[in-house]
Amino acid sequence: MTTVEQPARYAGLPRTDGVRPPARLLLHSPLREVMGTVARRRWQIEVRGAEHFPETGPVVVAANHIGFLDGPLMAVLTPRPVHALTKREMFEGSMGAFLTATGQIPIWRRAADPLAVRPALRVLREGGVVGVFPEGSRGAGQVTRAEGGAAYLALVTGAAVVPLSVLGTREVGGALNSVPPPGTRMVLTYGAPLHFPQRDWPRRRVDVRRATDRIRAALLGTMREAEEATGLALPGPIPPTNQKEQL
């Protein structure tokens, strides 16, 4: 395991020296571009607002979550490689080896998970990009609620937060793990980045809540803009018969 001394500017904040970083080889290699090309050939994918994405420095991508493809498309089509926080259940079986190799970070969604937070902090402190779904799970994608993970990561590291609207990755009435047929139109729209001052540790809950509210409002605004510009709409709730799959 690589040991990296924590920078002085993070003194007193959650420590990440000695934390094993996510894998980088596949995500930061030509394979990422190849996977993006394959996705574009299978589906009609449009990326909008890429000019908003910071070219350097730590970034947290905060996206709505409607379909199985949201995480993979975020990872390979965002202007810079993304280490997405992905529910731990996805790492079971053969899919787990692929997710690990591509640098995705497993997270336990039912409680605070320091085993996910610390690798994410290390990625950001090294100037990388972390992807977060504030809703916590797939659904209608309306972001009626937002967890504080994206805000926490931004406040601890000073990372910019870029809202990402995802449309088209699940059809209306589609099941939880359904994948749209070839040729389906999908649009990823990046909004203008939000900036938060890095705060001293420990973080106050009110600070995280206020930052979370700003992130949610920016994400909703980006989604409305994307819907108006593209004519696409959210797919609606996942059919009730599939709700238990989210547990």
Side-chain angles (χ1 to χ4, degrees):
M1 178 170 59
T2 302
T3 299
V4 177
E5 185 176 350
Q6 181 155 301
R9 68 181 180 278
Y10 297 122
L13 296 174
R15 302 195 65 85
T16 52
D17 45 349
V19 173
R20 185 185 299 277
R24 292 174 51 91
L25 183 60
L26 294 184
L27 189 62
H28 296 256
S29 75
L31 179 61
R32 177 176 179 267
E33 185 174 342
V34 171
M35 291 188 292
T37 299
V38 170
R40 290 178 186 274
R41 288 179 177 174
R42 184 171 180 81
W43 298 285
Q44 184 183 344
I45 300 176
E46 178 184 354
V47 176
R48 303 176 67 253
E51 68 276 7
H52 293 308
F53 208 91
E55 295 182 3
T56 60
V59 177
V60 175
V61 179
N64 65 313
H65 203 6
I66 57 175
F68 177 79
L69 293 175
D70 298 344
L73 292 183
M74 175 198 289
V76 301
L77 295 178
T78 294
R80 293 165 56 192
V82 179
H83 297 270
L85 291 170
T86 305
K87 67 177 183 178
R88 192 170 294 275
E89 296 90 331
M90 293 289 291
F91 287 78
E92 299 173 357
S94 59
M95 179 63 74
F98 175 76
L99 291 172
T100 299
T102 55
Q104 307 315 299
I105 302 172
I107 185 170
W108 180 253
R109 298 173 299 162
R110 296 179 177 85
D113 187 355
L115 294 179
V117 170
R118 291 182 183 274
L121 289 176
R122 174 157 179 180
V123 169
L124 294 171
R125 287 172 176 170
E126 294 178 349
V129 183
V130 170
V132 177
F133 295 103
E135 294 166 283
S137 61
R138 279 167 268 168
Q142 296 173 322
V143 198
T144 55
R145 63 180 179 84
E147 302 294 340
Y152 174 85
L153 292 173
L155 290 172
V156 169
T157 63
V161 179
V162 175
L164 169 60
S165 165
V166 181
L167 297 171
T169 55
R170 181 170 61 83
E171 295 182 293
V172 175
L176 179 68
N177 293 319
S178 63
V179 174
T184 298
R185 186 183 180 201
M186 303 176 184
V187 180
L188 278 65
T189 302
Y190 298 92
L194 302 175
H195 298 279
F196 301 91
Q198 183 181 320
R199 296 184 178 276
D200 295 333
W201 175 260
R203 207 97 27 250
R204 296 189 305 163
R205 288 187 179 181
V206 65
D207 294 330
V208 175
R209 188 68 259 165
R210 287 172 179 167
T212 298
D213 290 343
R214 277 189 62 195
I215 293 169
R216 177 175 176 270
L219 178 52
L220 288 172
T222 302
M223 291 166 56
R224 285 192 295 269
E225 176 193 347
E227 289 178 304
E228 292 172 2
T230 65
L232 294 178
L234 293 170
I238 294 171
T241 54
N242 296 300
Q243 291 295 334
K244 62 182 180 179
E245 297 178 37
Q246 290 183 290
L247 301 179

